[in-house]
Amino acid sequence: EKRTVTQIVKNGYPDSIYINAAKIFQGIRTEKRKGRFQVQYGDSSESPMMAFKDEHSKRESYELAFNALKYQDLLEEILVDSKVYPCYSIPDELTSLLVVMLYDLQDRKFQKRKRFAGEELVAEVQEVGHYLHRYETKLAAALARCRIKYDALSIEYFVPETIQKQEQRASALPVCFWINTFKISLEDVIRDLEMKGFTKVESVSDFDHYTYAMDQHCHDVLVFPSSLKEELLDLDLFADCKLLLQ
């Protein structure tokens, strides 16, 4: 059966994801020299309290925060160049939220965010979201000017070289999953994977896309090509905590 490539439509995140991502970003953002873009962040001396709905929400929050970190320079330049920042109606304590939500807004090509069924709305997220939506045209124009200014075909150009090297190294590493033997046996996992078109090979050197290997030292660990990570995280085996990402 021929596999088809599904076009991923990005609808944004529930409010809780933005709040947690902003708290994470606040703690990991790069401190800038005074005078560079003049973007001010609130005090980050206290360790933020975060409540994640589940493992999937936690993963999405960290992913969003680290994506904002990768493009921090670009996002700050867009805010200042568009004259959207400074915004006196939004305090410095919400600047991290502003940056995180701006990253997501441009990642959605400035399309409107989807409302998630049953989600609990957060006032700060709603306030920042409405503010960004009001100035979408200016923000999109500022992004276009930045790309022209730096002759960048895509925003990947703006990823710092150190992070690019780290991502290249990480992308070459296979991904490992523990089998949760409290919920499923090795035989049932293998049967499920084979039904989904996976083939077992002897070692990682034999990987050819939809393949996997047994770890040589831990017999309850399966190893997959790194290119399959996102697909694997969408499997029922992972959603049901029968496979656990190492």
Side-chain angles (χ1 to χ4, degrees), residues 173-203:
L173 294 173
V175 290
C176 301
F177 283 84
W178 289 90
I179 298 171
N180 184 354
T181 53
F182 289 104
K183 290 195 168 189
I184 195 170
S185 66
L186 169 62
E187 292 75 18
D188 286 340
V189 170
I190 290 175
R191 188 179 303 112
D192 193 299
L193 290 172
E194 288 178 348
M195 288 175 62
K196 290 179 170 61
F198 286 83
T199 303
K200 181 182 175 183
V201 295
E202 290 303 314
S203 69

Side-chain angles (χ1 to χ4, degrees), residues 91-105:
D92 290 348
E93 288 70 24
L94 293 182
T95 301
S96 287
L97 181 61
L98 186 69
V99 171
V100 163
M101 293 188 71
L102 174 58
Y103 169 79
D104 177 60
L105 180 62

